[in-house]
Amino acid sequence: GNDRVQVFDRQMQFLFVIGERTDSVNYSETLFQPSALAVTDPGESARHFNDNFLIVTDLNDTRLSKFSLEGRFMAAVNSTDYGFPKVSLSSVALDFYSNVWVTDTYNHCIHKFDKNLNYITSFGHKGEGENEFLEPHSVTIWKRFGQVFIVDKISAQYFHVGTDIMNVEISQRDSVIDCDFALSE
């Protein structure tokens, strides 16, 4: 209700606030109704990069914001930035490569971003079958083995994180075939 994230130490002593509105803070660096967060753990062994940050969903569940663990604003992305005019972001998790996975209950899908909040892909659509969701509202990832668990309105689904090949372009010149593509990891 206070449009901020409060940080405490292990003894529950207040340390500082993230995303608080002040006269010296830019509008894009403040939080509005934060609803979910994920944090990299500096002591966690199951991670590829040695970076530390916090991801927060806010702005009526339409924005992802990234902050350092000291509370410094780093980046933000709104749903319109990645081609979705309306979303409802409800849960966020980080994988082994610090990619950001976020559930979208409005579009019945999962959005995936890299650690700098660059959009990678979305998957799933409305339905009750495999790779289909009905308002997915929770995601968690066991980073060590790349296992993703997604819970929606009526089911839970299990995925194994792998590298996806995207944007494949195949062309032929003489006797040479060129294959250009992008990898998600």
Side-chain angles (χ1 to χ4, degrees):
N2 293 319
D3 296 326
R4 63 187 181 200
V5 172
Q6 295 177 323
V7 181
F8 296 83
D9 67 15
R10 291 175 193 234
Q11 289 75 39
M12 297 305 295
Q13 297 299 312
F14 174 77
L15 296 175
F16 57 91
V17 172
I18 296 175
E20 187 172 43
R21 289 183 220 153
T22 65
D23 292 338
S24 62
V25 176
N26 185 326
Y27 168 81
S28 64
E29 299 177 12
T30 60
L31 294 174
F32 298 91
Q33 299 176 341
S35 57
L37 61 90
V39 180
T40 57
D41 182 353
E44 186 175 17
S45 61
R47 62 186 186 152
H48 183 72
F49 299 106
N50 190 25
D51 48 11
N52 304 304
F53 58 87
L54 166 81
I55 299 290
V56 181
T57 62
D58 76 320
L59 200 59
N60 295 320
D61 301 328
T62 63
R63 177 174 68 176
L64 289 172
S65 296
K66 179 180 178 180
F67 295 88
S68 72
L69 294 187
E70 295 77 32
R72 183 180 47 83
F73 174 80
M74 299 172 81
V77 61
N78 291 303
S79 63
T80 54
D81 296 335
Y82 53 97
F84 284 80
K86 186 169 182 184
V87 297
S88 183
L89 308 177
S90 64
S91 178
V92 62
L94 303 168
D95 67 18
F96 180 79
Y97 296 100
S98 298
N99 291 321
V100 179
W101 296 58
V102 62
T103 57
D104 179 351
T105 59
Y106 181 81
N107 292 294
H108 310 278
C109 69
I110 309 301
H111 304 293
K112 187 176 177 183
F113 302 84
D114 70 12
K115 65 182 189 159
N116 298 312
L117 295 184
N118 295 308
Y119 175 75
I120 297 174
T121 191
S122 297
F123 69 93
H125 56 275
K126 187 175 184 177
E128 297 181 24
E130 205 170 294
N131 298 323
E132 296 177 333
F133 305 103
L134 288 176
E135 300 175 15
H137 58 81
S138 295
V139 59
T140 190
I141 301 174
W142 191 9
K143 296 176 187 179
R144 182 173 175 205
F145 296 111
Q147 296 164 308
V148 179
F149 301 91
I150 299 169
V151 177
D152 70 10
K153 197 172 191 174
I154 62 168
S155 69
Q157 294 190 40
Y158 163 78
F159 298 90
H160 225 37
V161 176
T163 300
D164 297 319
I165 296 175
M166 305 177 302
N167 305 327
V168 177
E169 293 182 22
I170 300 173
S171 61
Q172 182 175 357
R173 289 178 293 132
D174 302 322
S175 62
V176 176
I177 296 176
D178 288 326
C179 182
D180 292 322
F181 55 89
L183 297 176
S184 62
E185 305 299 338

